[in-house]
Amino acid sequence: MDGRNKSGHDDASCIRLMLRRLLYDAKIRDAIYQIALVMGLVALSVWFVRNASQNLVNAGIASGFDFLWRTSGIDVPFVLTNYTAQSRIIDLMWVGVVNTLLVTIIAIIGATLLGFVIGLVRLSPHWLAARVAGAYIEVVRNIPLLFFILFWYFGVIAALPAPRQSISVFGVAFINNRGLTIPVPIDGFAFRAAAVITVAALVLAWIAARAARAERDRSGKTSFGWLAPALALGAPLLAFVVATLISTWDVPVLRGFNYRGGFVLIPEFAAVLAALITYTAAFVAEIVRGGVEAVPAGQSEAASALGLTTAQRLRLVIIPQALRVMTPPMTSQYLNVLKNSSFGAAIAFPELVSVFMGSALNNTGQAIEIIAITLALYLAIGLAVSAFMNWYNARIRLVTR
Amino acid sequence: MSARLNIWRARLFSGPLTSLVTIAIFALIVAIGWPLLRWAVLNADVSGATRADCTSGGACWVFVKQRFGQFMYGFYPVDQRWRIDLWAIVSIASVALLLWKNMPRRGWFALVVILIWPPLGVWLLGGGFGLQPIETRQWGGLTLTMFLAIYAGLIAIPLGILLALGRQSRLPVVRLISIIFIEFWRGVPIIAVIFLASLLLPLIMPSGVGVDRLARAVIGLAFVISAYMAEAVRGGLQAIPTGQHEAAKALGLNYWKATGFIILPQALRISLPAMTNEFIALFKNTTLVLVVSILDLLGVAQASLADPSWVGYSMEAYAFTGLIYWLICFALSRFAKSLETNPGQSRHRMQDAQ
């Protein structure tokens, strides 16, 4: 290609040649593409931001995060913190975070347990049981979650009796169409102490289990293997029984048309929880099935040959190996539960989206700030969940050379 | 006959424990199924037009019958419903033709359908240019559900493919932007995205430029689902052996030609089941537009319960809408499964070559 230029090329054609070389050089072309892309995105963002600030000025809304310290004036029907309508908006946000976490954690535990049961039943040799579990999975997975939330809320819980005709649970808790009213201890000190004892007992149990295993590896004898389970189960149980006995209880009583006293688990809470658990369990069940089916059949046969019972075979051989396959998809499901807890907003359960992106945003009009905070909170909680699950995954991963 | 009987005996009554479980489950099925059957079929009322015709104590399907038009078309003017029918018929016929493997000139047909039909469909439903204009607030029911899913999917699929390619790109900036985009939309709840789209889109547009609220929902859904589609496509891209890339390069194809003619056709075929599953998830999540007062099938059903002349018939409405959602999603999931078990001929060939 240089033949033309060998003899007497002038400056202009030399520059043209250099330019052409530059354009056909892969590295330079890549750089040009990327710079163009970044400049395009920046231009687009600048345009959006300019429009937004113009629109905000027109609407008379000041930007900034000062509004977080203003009094919220919003009543929330389900509060675990000491929030009242006189609290600040940032406390309202915290109420949303706590309620979101509460629903998410309970739903994750419930869905994991129920999903494990359904998944194992789906694999059971009993033909009919396996079919029933399969039918449950196929029905639930192919219907929207929001459908189930509305169904539980407007269909099931709304059909419960009015407070006067409440279903009584041993005369202390009452189920009616305004929720589940449960007794609460007047002074929570005993229960806080029990919680501390539980954590301490779990730590001790963990240490005991490690020590027992080290002792067994050293001497070949199981000497104090009973200690860890006794600590982990017995101490918390004892602590909570004692706490229950020594506390004075605020027991709900029927006054007029409703119950006074106690703590009300509102219908919205029950509906979101019921829907999330039953819905997610179907997906967990499929993950469990996939995980168990991924364990080679030889493992199960070998366990049988060693004389293990069905329960032992599952607990000691199959499930530990299946867990490795199951952990990554389970992480996705747990993140889904976190995100799906926001569906509660559709029935006004006061979780993060509902109280913050809904009520607080309507009151203040600070759309951009509130949206940014909400999304950042979800991303942060989600990152924490996946970090924990990745740590767990790394722990149970198959160690190969 | 007795051989079949033996199979059932082995399945259900092979031992004492098995028999016990069988009987317990049978009892449960009867305990749930019999009242359900009595409610839904035996004691149900079908004929009539008002609540007074529901006398038998079972399900009042009269309610669903009276509301059927709204469940399907929302609040679309009755004399204009033929437009929705036409839209549905042409859409279903096009999809059927696209799925017919031996159709002549399938590729050209697909291109024409994908380029021409979406804007024509918007015109047909929305009106203008000779058709009576119908505001999106009057749209609703199953029509709206289908519209949201189809149009969000139409934006999300090409965007998702681009993002998947971007995530695999050798250009670091492109890769980083794709990763941030994908992980951001996958990390936030869809309901928050729908709020975000409905609040933020009008805000970032120049004053005076309105974005239709249905369009906002479509854009919000499309962004989220494109991130999930991108991950489905990435799975397919990762399954393509490096030899394919090398062969394309050896033939002298540039990046876009190699991607378009060699890599993507194979990758998309592999990721089609995963993409279908993402589409099912999208379809189920379209229900969330309820929170910004757009009434899709579930929203119309929910709104119909507020009608004082039909108070107390929520179970009928839920049974009906639940069944529709289930039928559509179940059919789609079976389709995804059939793609998994019957891979295309060329995939076999690819495996043979390895």
Side-chain angles (χ1 to χ4, degrees):
Chain A
M1 69 179 277
D2 294 319
R4 186 162 47 88
N5 303 305
K6 253 177 201 164
S7 54
H9 47 264
D10 53 281
D11 287 354
S13 73
C14 188
I15 290 170
R16 217 175 297 140
L17 186 71
M18 271 169 62
L19 268 177
R20 183 181 288 178
R21 279 213 178 126
L22 280 178
L23 277 178
Y24 284 91
D25 185 315
K27 266 188 197 149
I28 291 169
R29 218 168 30 169
D30 287 355
I32 291 172
Y33 283 153
Q34 300 189 61
I35 291 168
L37 180 67
V38 170
M39 276 166 53
L41 285 177
V42 167
L44 197 65
S45 331
V46 168
W47 187 64
F48 284 154
V49 169
R50 279 189 50 181
N51 289 336
S53 54
Q54 190 60 50
N55 287 331
L56 285 175
V57 167
N58 291 348
I61 296 169
S63 56
F65 291 90
D66 297 337
F67 72 97
L68 283 173
W69 280 266
R70 291 212 297 262
T71 306
S72 84
I74 297 163
D75 271 314
V76 179
F78 187 80
V79 188
L80 298 179
T81 61
N82 43 20
Y83 170 89
T84 62
Q86 280 76 48
S87 304
R88 298 164 306 176
I89 290 180
I90 195 166
D91 301 315
L92 178 68
M93 179 195 89
W94 184 241
V95 168
V97 171
V98 169
N99 286 350
T100 290
L101 286 178
L102 181 77
V103 165
T104 304
I105 291 168
I106 300 178
I108 282 177
I109 296 170
T112 307
L113 295 176
L114 184 62
F116 251 89
V117 171
I118 296 171
L120 292 179
V121 170
R122 176 83 189 80
L123 287 166
S124 86
H126 193 286
W127 185 86
L128 189 63
R131 290 305 135 112
V132 170
Y136 176 87
I137 294 168
E138 283 299 346
V139 167
V140 170
R141 281 202 317 166
N142 289 311
I143 294 178
L145 173 59
L146 188 62
F147 173 90
F148 288 114
I149 290 181
L150 297 180
F151 175 77
W152 278 103
Y153 187 55
F154 292 104
V156 180
I157 295 173
L160 287 173
R164 275 164 178 275
Q165 285 82 38
S166 288
I167 303 163
S168 159
V169 185
F170 306 118
V172 288
F174 301 92
I175 301 171
N176 53 50
N177 58 12
R178 300 208 193 152
L180 168 67
T181 315
I182 52 167
V184 282
I186 289 167
D187 177 18
F189 175 75
F191 277 91
R192 279 197 290 276
V196 172
I197 291 173
T198 302
V199 172
L202 287 176
V203 171
L204 281 175
W206 183 67
I207 294 170
R210 284 190 70 116
R213 192 179 302 159
E215 177 66 18
R216 191 192 61 196
D217 288 351
R218 196 182 57 77
S219 67
K221 275 182 291 192
T222 341
S223 40
F224 49 98
W226 51 268
L227 186 59
L231 271 172
L233 292 175
L237 192 70
L238 199 69
F240 276 100
V241 167
V242 169
T244 309
L245 290 179
I246 62 168
S247 296
T248 15
W249 290 84
D250 178 12
V251 179
V253 206
L254 187 65
R255 293 252 172 78
F257 290 104
N258 207 350
Y259 279 90
R260 295 273 181 280
F263 184 77
V264 186
L265 293 169
I266 56 175
E268 289 81 6
F269 177 77
V272 173
L273 210 55
L276 266 180
I277 290 176
T278 48
Y279 181 80
T280 314
F283 293 85
V284 172
E286 280 296 88
I287 294 170
V288 171
R289 183 168 75 104
V292 171
E293 280 178 348
V295 178
Q299 295 285 326
S300 186
E301 289 158 14
S304 304
L306 286 173
L308 299 187
T309 67
T310 310
Q312 282 176 323
R313 204 166 68 208
L314 272 178
R315 188 168 58 85
L316 298 172
V317 180
I318 310 292
I319 289 179
Q321 297 187 67
L323 276 180
R324 295 191 183 119
V325 185
M326 284 161 47
T327 312
M330 286 292 259
T331 307
S332 311
Q333 284 307 319
Y334 291 172
L335 291 171
N336 279 345
V337 172
L338 167 69
K339 289 183 283 171
N340 289 344
S341 69
S342 64
F343 283 45
I347 54 170
F349 173 71
E351 46 72 62
L352 184 56
V353 167
S354 179
V355 295
F356 203 52
M357 251 180 150
S359 310
L361 200 152
N362 278 339
N363 272 22
T364 61
Q366 311 278 152
I368 293 177
E369 295 83 355
I370 285 182
I371 288 171
I373 294 174
T374 312
L375 299 185
L377 283 170
Y378 273 105
L379 289 172
I381 302 171
L383 275 177
V385 172
S386 57
F388 172 77
M389 290 301 284
N390 285 339
W391 167 80
Y392 178 70
N393 191 37
R395 241 182 70 95
I396 62 163
R397 185 177 59 197
L398 188 64
V399 182
T400 49
R401 282 164 207 278
Chain B
M1 193 61 215
S2 86
R4 196 173 288 169
L5 206 67
N6 280 338
I7 291 175
W8 284 103
R9 190 182 297 157
R11 274 176 179 167
L12 300 176
F13 300 103
S14 63
L17 187 67
T18 318
S19 310
L20 204 69
V21 174
T22 304
I23 291 164
I25 295 175
F26 261 125
L28 195 71
I29 291 175
V30 171
I32 296 172
W34 175 243
L36 199 68
L37 186 73
R38 269 207 334 207
W39 175 79
V41 182
L42 301 179
N43 284 349
D45 291 291
V46 187
S47 58
T50 63
R51 125 178 237 139
D53 297 309
C54 290
T55 49
S56 327
C60 182
W61 298 123
V62 181
F63 168 54
V64 173
K65 210 172 70 179
Q66 287 297 310
R67 291 277 170 166
F68 187 78
Q70 262 186 31
F71 284 149
M72 294 297 116
Y73 303 102
F75 306 96
Y76 214 78
V78 177
D79 62 326
Q80 299 292 317
R81 284 180 183 171
W82 61 270
R83 283 154 59 172
I84 294 176
D85 294 332
L86 184 63
W87 177 67
I89 291 169
V90 175
S91 305
I92 292 169
S94 318
V95 171
L97 282 174
L98 286 175
L99 291 178
W100 176 33
K101 287 211 170 67
N102 301 324
M103 204 193 93
R105 298 180 191 278
R106 197 166 158 211
W108 284 110
F109 179 68
L111 201 68
V112 168
V113 167
I114 290 168
L115 289 180
I116 307 282
W117 184 235
L120 270 183
V122 173
W123 169 66
L124 191 58
L125 292 182
F129 301 109
L131 278 176
Q132 181 191 328
I134 292 168
E135 280 186 74
T136 52
R137 81 177 69 230
Q138 285 173 280
W139 304 16
L142 187 61
T143 309
L144 191 76
T145 298
M146 296 307 257
F147 182 87
L148 282 168
I150 292 170
Y151 281 84
L154 278 171
I155 302 172
I157 290 169
L159 187 58
I161 292 171
L162 277 179
L163 285 167
L165 291 172
R167 198 167 184 160
Q168 306 283 74
S169 168
R170 66 192 153 82
L171 310 180
V173 174
V174 175
R175 205 162 54 223
L176 187 71
I177 290 172
S178 307
I179 291 176
I180 292 174
F181 187 94
I182 293 171
E183 296 303 336
F184 177 79
W185 295 109
R186 284 191 340 137
V188 296
I190 288 201
I191 204 164
V193 175
I194 288 172
F195 271 125
L196 172 132
S198 78
L199 292 164
L200 222 51
L201 275 174
L203 203 60
I204 59 173
M205 285 292 145
S207 56
V209 179
V211 189
D212 184 86
R213 58 196 198 107
L214 188 58
R216 295 179 214 163
V218 169
I219 293 170
L221 284 171
F223 272 27
V224 175
I225 215 64
S226 70
Y228 285 91
M229 286 286 178
E231 290 299 276
V233 175
R234 179 159 80 124
L237 286 173
Q238 284 175 345
I240 306 296
T242 38
Q244 297 287 325
H245 292 266
E246 289 159 10
K249 219 171 236 174
L251 285 172
L253 299 182
N254 66 24
Y255 174 78
W256 289 110
K257 276 186 180 156
T259 306
F261 294 123
I262 312 280
I263 308 300
L264 261 188
Q266 301 180 58
L268 289 182
R269 188 169 293 132
I270 298 171
S271 44
L272 207 52
M275 288 171 78
T276 313
N277 285 330
E278 295 302 348
F279 184 76
I280 298 173
L282 159 76
F283 185 83
K284 292 194 288 179
N285 281 326
T286 58
T287 52
L288 288 173
V289 295
L290 191 107
V291 297
V292 288
S293 311
I294 298 176
L295 298 182
D296 68 334
L297 175 60
L298 192 58
V300 168
Q302 194 64 32
S304 74
L305 301 178
D307 184 345
S309 58
W310 288 102
V311 96
Y313 289 116
S314 56
M315 280 300 159
E316 285 82 350
Y318 286 131
F320 178 70
T321 46
L323 188 67
I324 292 182
Y325 277 112
W326 186 82
L327 283 174
I328 294 172
C329 296
F330 184 72
L332 283 170
S333 69
R334 279 294 127 127
F335 173 68
K337 218 164 212 171
S338 77
L339 292 171
E340 259 168 54
T341 44
N342 305 317
Q345 209 187 349
S346 45
R347 213 173 136 197
H348 276 305
R349 228 180 273 149
M350 199 176 83
Q351 281 160 350
D352 291 343
Q354 283 174 357

